[in-house]
């Protein structure tokens, strides 16, 4: 019985090897494609799960407790949705959200206007445009924290270059305005730096948009004797719009999270005039040590960004399809 | 004739409009550079020159700022300094001129090397993992691939502070807080999303036929990946590495929350440089200048790949 069985098995095995072409045999000899696929992808997914998703789940859990990170041994109490209620009814947090929205609105508006204009001009391909484009790109490659720090120097009322230039050109005495210390100017000091730093980013994406418009469309418009103005509004803007919207999306997400620059320029002050959401979050979590409540605020922020980004991407896709 | 010129002007703008465009862009570029140029100049000023008003455009350059950056000094009496014998270095000479002696190295250099170790370590890991995953996503049919890729991207939407709280707690439990290893792992996790997206784009562009031909010649899948695909993807891998490096180099939020001494990087350290009587602006400027140089070099090297890198490859150029 065993005899026949082995021969049968051997025969089957022989047939299988005979049927298998050489490269496939090699593949089986090494690792199967399936195994390689998982071998290649798993480490990345595992790392992201460990350092992004696990903390996020932890944050969700903490957001329902009264945990304080500076008292790790205290009894953990489940407080239900109390943290969320507190956050959503806290007027300080709503003010921080308004401040953030204010920053996001102005920085995006300025960066899009200036960035698009620059891209439009660079697209004229004047002599040396490649060199000057590279020069313009430099600010966005720098560290926002370091940028914030050296702009703090430029904004110094007694010694700063910015104040000197402003007073030189407008005649306003430099000691009469303090960019970082005055309630009305501090938000603008941040908007100016953010615009200085990130306009190149918007410009770069707009430039890609403008370069993607095929020449023959303009040629056709020219044949139809469309005015330059008409060409700009009927061809350039609509064709570049998906790119502009993409730039707005990326800048929007980034500026919603804005932290380093504000921290270094004003630290949220004077008072709380420049206190954006991230700064409030940091204060709650690492200064007041209300870890649970801070976590619930973090979750609300994340859901807000995620939701808004998703709605926006849908709109973007609609524009793209047009 | 007017028709001919105007038809031509569609593709090629007129010389006049080019010139105007050029002038405006150059003016903008120069304005953009003023703050950077100012910091560079300040790094070569003496402390009194740096805080004079109106700001000084001409001054006698000195290395005092750099000297203050790399050493800590103590004020001494003239008698004591005279008893010391001749100065041993330029830095020594500058310090003695201000009645000071060098007490020892400052904290900047360790912070700078921390930045290097963490930035390069995390870049290497992120690019290594990213290349494998990108190849996996590009060449194999993976269930829910789109969802996984979106999940990878979405990890970038969270404000760093939001994840910093649990990471802070987790690192405290694991003994990873304030260690270079902890920061390397963290930055790797942040960068790997960018690396996967960028590299997938680059690898998608390498024809599959190359590997298939290699496998018909008897290479295994692994050999084909190693000997055929990787060499083809070198440019893409290099560009991705530089983007990861720039991010890790510039990062501040995690660094300031999760490190305090041992593993602190340069961005949270530079703003804390304080001389006697307030901020030592030349030293701060010197620290900033040294910190910015690598980035300037990379920007110039990278200008062609820039767009892809900053948009996760969502826009190709």
């Amino acid at each position: 019985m065993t005899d026949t069985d082995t021969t049968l098995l051997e025969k089957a095995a022989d047939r299988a090897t005979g049927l298998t072409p050489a490269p496939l045999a090699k593949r089986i000899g090494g690792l199967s494609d399936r195994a390689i696929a998982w071998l290649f992808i798993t480490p990345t997914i595992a790392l992201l799960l460990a350092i992004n998703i696990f903390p996020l789940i932890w944050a969700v859990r903490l957001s329902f407790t009264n945990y304080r990170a500076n008292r790790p041994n205290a009894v953990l109490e489940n407080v239900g949705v109390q943290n969320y209620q507190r956050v959503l009814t806290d007027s300080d947090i709503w003010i921080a959200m308004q401040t953030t929205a204010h920053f996001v609105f102005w920085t995006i508006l300025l960066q899009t206007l200036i960035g698009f204009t620059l891209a439009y001009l660079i697209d004229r391909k004047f002599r040396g445009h490649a060199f000057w484009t590279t020069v313009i790109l430099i600010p966005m490659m720098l560290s926002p924290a370091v940028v914030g720090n050296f702009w703090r120097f430029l904004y110094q009322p007694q010694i700063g270059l910015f104040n000197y230039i402003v007073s030189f050109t407008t005649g306003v005495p430099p000691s009469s305005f303090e960019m970082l210390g005055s309630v009305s100017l501090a938000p603008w000091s941040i908007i100016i730096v953010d615009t200085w730093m990130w306009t190149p980013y918007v410009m770069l994406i707009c430039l890609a948009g403008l370069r993607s418009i095929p020449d023959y469309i303009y040629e056709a418009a020219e044949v139809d004797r469309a005015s330059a103005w008409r060409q700009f509004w009927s061809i350039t803007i609509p064709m570049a719009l998906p790119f502009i919207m993409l730039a707005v999306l990326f800048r929007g997400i980034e500026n919603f999270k804005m932290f380093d620059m504000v921290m270094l320029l004003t630290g949220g002050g004077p008072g709380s005039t420049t206190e954006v959401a991230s700064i409030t979050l940091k204060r709650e979590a690492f200064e007041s040590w209300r870890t649970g409540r801070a976590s619930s605020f973090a979750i609300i922020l994340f859901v807000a960004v995620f939701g808004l980004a998703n709605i926006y991407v849908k709109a973007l896709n609609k524009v793209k399809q047009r | 004739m007017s028709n001919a010129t105007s038809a031509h002007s569609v593709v090629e703008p007129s010389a006049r409009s080019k010139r105007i465009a050029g002038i405006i862009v150059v003016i903008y570029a120069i304005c953009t550079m003023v703050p950077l140029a100012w910091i560079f100049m300040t790094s070569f000023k003496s402390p009194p020159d740096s805080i004079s008003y109106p700001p000084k455009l001409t001054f006698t350059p000195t290395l005092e700022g750099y000297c203050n950056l790399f050493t800590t000094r103590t004020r001494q009496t003239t008698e004591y300094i005279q008893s010391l014998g001749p100065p041993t270095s330029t830095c020594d000479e500058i310090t003695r001129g201000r009645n000071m002696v060098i007490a020892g190295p400052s904290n900047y250099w360790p912070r700078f090397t921390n930045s290097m170790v963490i930035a390069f370590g995390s870049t290497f890991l992120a690019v290594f993992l990213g290349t494998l995953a990108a190849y996996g996503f590009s060449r194999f049919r993976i269930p829910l691939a789109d969802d996984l890729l979106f999940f990878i991207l979405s990890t970038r939407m969270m404000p760093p502070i939001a994840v910093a709280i649990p990471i802070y707690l987790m690192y405290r439990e694991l003994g990873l807080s304030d260690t270079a290893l902890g920061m390397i792992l963290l930055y790797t996790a942040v960068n790997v999303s960018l690396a996967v997206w960028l590299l997938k784009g680059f690898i998608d562009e390498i024809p599959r036929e190359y590997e298939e031909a290699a496998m018909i010649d008897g290479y295994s899948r692994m050999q084909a990946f190693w000997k055929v695909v990787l060499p083809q993807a070198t440019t893409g891998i290099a560009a991705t590495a530089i983007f990861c490096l720039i991010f890790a180099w510039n990062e501040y939020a995690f660094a300031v929350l999760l490190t305090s001494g041992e593993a602190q990087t340069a961005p949270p350290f530079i703003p804390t440089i304080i001389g006697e009587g307030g901020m030592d602006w030349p030293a701060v400027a010197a620290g900033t200048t040294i910190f910015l140089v690598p980035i300037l070099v990379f920007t110039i090297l990278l200008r062609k790949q820039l767009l892809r890198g900053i948009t996760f490859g969502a826009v190709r150029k």
Side-chain angles (χ1 to χ4, degrees):
Chain A
M1 172 202 139
T2 44
D3 217 43
T4 46
D5 265 0
T6 29
T7 43
L8 263 178
L9 261 175
E10 272 167 10
K11 264 187 199 165
D14 280 351
R15 210 184 306 146
T17 14
L19 283 173
T20 318
L24 187 61
K26 267 265 179 196
R27 265 187 262 175
I28 292 169
L31 280 164
S32 73
D33 276 7
R34 218 184 131 80
I36 291 178
W38 286 113
L39 189 69
F40 278 17
I41 290 168
T42 321
T44 298
I45 304 288
L47 184 73
L48 287 174
L49 284 176
I51 297 196
N52 266 306
I53 301 308
F54 178 64
L56 187 67
I57 294 169
W58 195 337
V60 172
R61 201 178 71 95
L62 287 179
S63 72
F64 293 105
T65 66
N66 64 348
Y67 183 75
R68 299 170 83 100
N70 60 341
R71 288 182 215 152
N73 297 324
V75 188
L76 205 64
E77 218 177 292
N78 232 320
V79 294
V81 292
Q82 195 192 318
N83 284 329
Y84 287 89
Q85 279 173 343
R86 285 262 174 86
V87 168
L88 290 173
T89 53
D90 187 335
S91 60
D92 284 355
I93 281 175
W94 281 107
I95 291 170
M97 294 301 269
Q98 275 173 25
T99 312
T100 311
H102 178 254
F103 278 126
V104 171
F105 174 79
W106 281 107
T107 52
I108 286 182
L109 183 72
L110 288 171
Q111 288 165 26
T112 312
L113 283 178
I114 305 173
F116 183 82
T117 311
L118 282 173
Y120 188 75
L121 294 173
I122 289 172
D123 201 35
R124 313 275 94 184
K125 297 212 173 73
F126 54 89
R127 258 184 63 188
H129 70 276
F131 171 79
W132 292 106
T133 312
T134 311
V135 171
I136 289 179
L137 292 177
I138 289 172
M140 72 174 214
M141 310 295 282
L142 310 177
S143 166
V146 174
V147 163
N149 188 49
F150 75 65
W151 271 87
R152 199 152 54 95
F153 175 53
L154 301 175
Y155 279 144
Q156 294 291 312
Q158 296 305 326
I159 56 171
L161 184 68
F162 182 87
N163 283 40
Y164 177 74
I165 291 175
V166 170
S167 72
F168 189 82
T169 46
T170 62
V172 182
S175 48
S176 70
F177 65 100
E178 219 176 304
M179 286 304 287
L180 299 173
S182 112
V183 172
S184 56
L185 290 175
W188 287 100
S189 71
I190 294 167
I191 293 169
I192 290 171
V193 181
D194 197 77
T195 304
W196 174 80
M197 187 163 176
W198 293 110
T199 298
Y201 182 95
V202 179
M203 178 203 83
L204 199 57
I205 299 178
C206 288
L207 193 58
L210 292 175
R211 298 247 162 105
S212 75
I213 306 173
D215 281 342
Y216 67 82
I217 298 186
Y218 288 109
E219 278 160 20
E222 199 73 12
V223 170
D224 291 345
R225 298 190 173 274
S227 67
W229 189 242
R230 183 69 202 276
Q231 286 181 25
F232 179 77
W233 283 109
S234 313
I235 303 172
T236 313
I237 293 286
M239 297 283 281
L241 193 60
F243 289 83
I244 299 173
M245 284 180 75
L246 197 66
V248 169
L249 172 70
F250 284 127
R251 280 315 312 147
I253 292 178
E254 283 302 310
N255 272 357
F256 202 84
K257 310 191 293 189
M258 176 151 58
F259 174 72
D260 17 30
M261 203 184 265
V262 184
M263 199 64 209
L264 266 301
L265 276 170
T266 63
S272 59
T273 37
T274 59
E275 192 171 299
V276 290
S278 287
I279 303 264
T280 310
L281 191 51
K282 189 220 166 203
R283 204 165 40 82
E284 281 282 300
F286 291 92
E287 282 160 33
S288 311
W289 295 103
R290 284 194 283 257
T291 318
R293 197 184 300 178
S295 298
S296 67
F297 184 39
I299 304 293
I300 292 171
L301 273 183
F302 177 59
V303 170
V305 180
F306 200 78
L308 287 175
N310 267 317
I311 295 169
Y312 188 87
V313 168
K314 289 221 171 79
L316 179 69
N317 285 336
K318 251 185 207 160
V319 171
K320 264 188 190 165
Q321 277 162 8
R322 244 196 354 225
Chain B
M1 189 210 140
S2 70
N3 220 348
T5 44
S6 64
H8 187 69
S9 74
V10 172
V11 191
E12 189 67 16
S14 72
R16 190 166 152 268
S17 86
K18 273 189 179 188
R19 202 175 325 121
I20 296 171
I23 291 168
I24 300 173
V25 171
V26 170
I27 290 173
Y28 179 86
I30 291 171
C31 292
T32 297
M33 282 299 105
V34 167
L36 284 172
W38 192 249
I39 287 302
F40 182 72
M41 276 168 71
T42 306
S43 77
F44 290 101
K45 285 180 177 174
S46 65
D49 275 350
S50 76
I51 54 167
S52 73
Y53 194 89
K56 272 191 179 171
L57 264 179
T58 49
F59 55 94
T60 332
T62 160
L63 286 174
E64 199 175 334
Y66 290 87
C67 178
N68 289 353
L69 179 68
F70 285 106
T71 58
T72 49
R73 305 158 315 146
T74 49
R75 187 165 285 288
Q76 291 297 338
T77 55
T78 329
E79 293 77 45
Y80 176 76
I81 287 171
Q82 273 163 355
S83 73
L84 284 177
T88 49
S89 63
T90 328
C91 199
D92 208 7
E93 213 178 302
I94 294 169
T95 350
R96 285 196 200 175
R98 303 184 67 82
N99 281 346
M100 288 177 172
V101 290
I102 296 171
S106 77
N107 279 333
Y108 184 70
W109 186 243
R111 303 298 179 260
F112 192 81
T113 46
N114 275 343
S115 273
M116 301 256 269
V117 169
I118 291 168
F120 280 96
S122 66
T123 299
F124 175 79
L125 261 179
V127 171
F128 177 73
L129 294 176
T131 311
L132 294 184
Y135 183 76
F137 279 115
S138 172
R139 291 298 195 263
F140 302 113
R141 249 200 266 145
I142 286 161
L144 301 173
D146 285 346
D147 293 326
L148 276 178
L149 280 169
F150 183 71
F151 152 74
I152 290 175
L153 185 65
S154 68
T155 55
R156 278 232 168 184
M157 284 189 203
M158 260 174 285
I161 319 287
V163 259
I165 306 163
I167 287 178
Y168 172 83
L169 299 175
M170 185 167 92
Y171 273 20
R172 202 165 65 179
E173 295 287 314
L174 297 171
L176 281 172
S177 48
D178 204 16
T179 62
L181 179 68
M183 295 312 283
I184 289 175
L185 286 176
L186 180 58
Y187 289 168
T188 307
V190 181
N191 267 334
V192 84
S193 50
L194 172 76
V196 171
W197 274 74
L198 270 182
L199 284 164
K200 186 178 173 293
F202 285 115
I203 293 175
D204 279 344
E205 276 167 23
I206 304 169
R208 282 159 180 266
E209 285 75 23
Y210 289 170
E211 295 142 82
E212 280 163 14
M215 286 192 288
I216 288 169
D217 287 348
Y219 278 21
S220 70
R221 175 65 85 165
M222 277 295 208
Q223 284 169 322
F225 168 68
W226 184 251
K227 291 186 178 154
V228 180
V229 179
L230 275 190
Q232 296 272 333
T234 322
T235 335
I237 291 174
T240 309
I242 294 179
F243 282 112
C244 294
L245 202 60
I246 289 176
F247 169 81
W249 188 252
N250 286 342
E251 211 283 331
Y252 172 79
F254 285 127
V256 78
L257 295 174
L258 300 177
T259 65
S260 47
E262 279 302 298
Q264 197 184 43
T265 52
F269 177 74
I270 292 175
T272 64
I273 301 170
I274 289 176
E276 27 172 60
M279 293 293 280
D280 185 351
W281 288 110
V284 172
T288 308
T289 305
I290 293 176
F291 185 75
L292 296 185
V293 168
I295 298 298
L296 294 184
V297 173
F298 287 142
T299 313
I300 292 159
L301 288 177
L302 206 70
R303 58 191 185 280
K304 291 208 174 105
Q305 266 88 24
L306 222 51
L307 186 63
R308 231 191 207 193
I310 59 168
T311 59
F312 281 84
V315 173
R316 287 203 188 146
K317 198 178 165 194

